[in-house]
């Protein structure tokens, strides 16, 4: 369960209001369902009391939304931490290469928090690269995905907090009316499909391909 998608409380930048709500609701959800994992749904910004707000946040405004990745995720009923990645929404005047460097730093920072402070897995539960960026080319999106995937895998292979990711957003053909500037049909671009497949299978291999079932097992064994 996700308590709320990208929760904010801009009337209380210090974060007390949101923290109280998260504590109350995570306790309530756990009381009625002890079987499913629970996360917050955070964008991953660091609040004004967190030193990383000055070194990792995309800009000063990110500390004013009443949320803090570490504080909000460090509740007893939250099973794993969540963060999002949208550099082209957070920045408007930086080059692609700078954006990639930020993404790598952002992912490593949150995984480090999971390892050192939270002692919990970290999932990057939403990320995308817009096709409305100036001079957009699909290869940029592949590079963006690969940067995230590589950081997660580097952590997972050491049994670290990097747990996995959810791309925003996958479609099958015929769903174009629901699409936005982030949506993709993976198999329409072979390099993107291969990138996602390889990432899924190499993460799966860390747990042992023999444990896989169904279509994922078939896909990964075929990929090998």
């Amino acid at each position: 369960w996700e308590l709320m998608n990208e929760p904010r409380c801009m009337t209380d930048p210090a974060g007390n209001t949101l923290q109280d709500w998260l504590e109350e609701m995570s306790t309530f959800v756990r009381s009625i369902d002890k079987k499913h994992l629970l996360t917050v749904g955070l964008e991953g910004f660091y609040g004004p009391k967190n030193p990383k707000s000055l070194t990792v946040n995309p800009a000063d405004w990110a500390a004013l939304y009443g949320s803090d990745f570490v504080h909000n995720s460090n509740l007893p009923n939250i099973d794993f931490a969540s963060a999002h990645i949208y550099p082209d929404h957070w920045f408007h005047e930086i080059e692609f290469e700078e954006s990639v460097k930020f993404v790598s730093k952002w992912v490593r920072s949150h995984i480090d928090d999971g390892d050192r402070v939270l002692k919990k897995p970290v999932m990057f539960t939403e990320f995308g690269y817009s096709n409305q960026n100036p001079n957009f080319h699909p290869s940029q999106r592949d590079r963006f995905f690969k940067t995230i995937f590589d950081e997660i895998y580097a952590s997972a292979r050491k049994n670290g907090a990097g747990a996995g990711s959810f791309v925003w957003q996958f479609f099958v053909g015929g769903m174009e009316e629901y699409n936005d500037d982030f949506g993709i049909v993976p198999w329409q671009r072979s390099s993107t499909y291969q990138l996602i497949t390889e990432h899924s299978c190499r993460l799966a291999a860390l747990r042992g391909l023999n444990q896989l079932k169904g279509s994922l097992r078939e896909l990964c064994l075929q990929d090998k």
Side-chain angles (χ1 to χ4, degrees), residues 38-173:
L38 184 61
T39 194
V40 176
L42 294 165
E43 292 161 282
F45 300 136
Y46 296 100
K49 297 178 183 178
N50 192 315
K52 286 189 174 183
S53 66
L54 301 175
T55 60
V56 181
N57 272 354
D60 292 343
W61 50 260
L64 304 177
Y65 286 161
S67 65
D68 178 79
F69 173 75
V70 174
H71 192 47
N72 298 156
S73 303
N74 202 19
L75 290 169
N77 290 309
I78 297 300
D79 297 301
F80 66 94
S82 56
H84 295 176
I85 314 171
Y86 287 107
D88 40 11
H89 274 194
W90 299 343
F91 303 103
H92 298 290
E93 296 182 356
I94 68 171
E95 297 296 326
F96 176 73
E97 291 299 326
E98 289 184 73
S99 175
V100 169
K101 289 179 182 178
F102 169 81
V103 167
S104 183
K105 180 181 180 180
W106 180 260
V107 174
R108 286 198 308 270
S109 175
H110 289 77
I111 290 175
D112 183 67
D113 291 330
D115 286 328
R116 297 175 183 269
V117 184
L118 300 171
K119 311 296 183 184
K120 298 178 182 182
V122 179
M123 287 281 289
F124 296 90
T125 51
E126 225 185 274
F127 57 89
Y129 190 76
S130 173
N131 61 14
Q132 294 183 8
N133 284 302
N135 303 313
F136 170 81
H137 190 274
S139 63
Q140 294 174 320
R141 184 177 276 162
D142 287 352
R143 174 97 178 276
F144 172 74
F145 286 172
K146 188 176 188 303
T147 299
I148 297 168
F149 292 159
D150 285 350
E151 294 289 356
I152 292 171
Y153 180 69
S155 172
R157 69 182 299 185
K158 297 183 294 185
N159 203 30
S165 59
F166 299 137
V167 172
W168 181 269
Q169 57 180 329
F170 290 157
F171 286 95
V172 297

Side-chain angles (χ1 to χ4, degrees), residues 153 194 197-212 215-224:
Y153 180 69
Q194 182 178 0
T197 300
E198 288 179 350
H199 175 64
S200 299
C201 291
R202 67 179 180 169
L203 281 182
L206 294 175
R207 299 286 181 246
L209 291 177
N210 291 334
Q211 298 182 28
L212 297 181
S215 57
L216 182 59
R217 175 181 171 82
E218 189 175 317
L219 179 67
C220 293
L221 290 177
Q222 178 184 4
D223 187 54
K224 290 185 72 69

Side-chain angles (χ1 to χ4, degrees), residues 27-46:
T27 301
F28 171 69
V29 173
R30 179 64 72 232
S31 73
I32 60 174
D33 185 352
K34 294 179 173 60
K35 294 183 178 181
H36 292 86
L37 296 176
L38 184 61
T39 194
V40 176
L42 294 165
E43 292 161 282
F45 300 136
Y46 296 100

Side-chain angles (χ1 to χ4, degrees), residues 171-180 185 188:
F171 286 95
V172 297
M175 295 183 66
E176 287 75 13
E177 64 179 297
Y178 302 102
N179 202 349
D180 56 20
V185 179
Q188 286 183 348

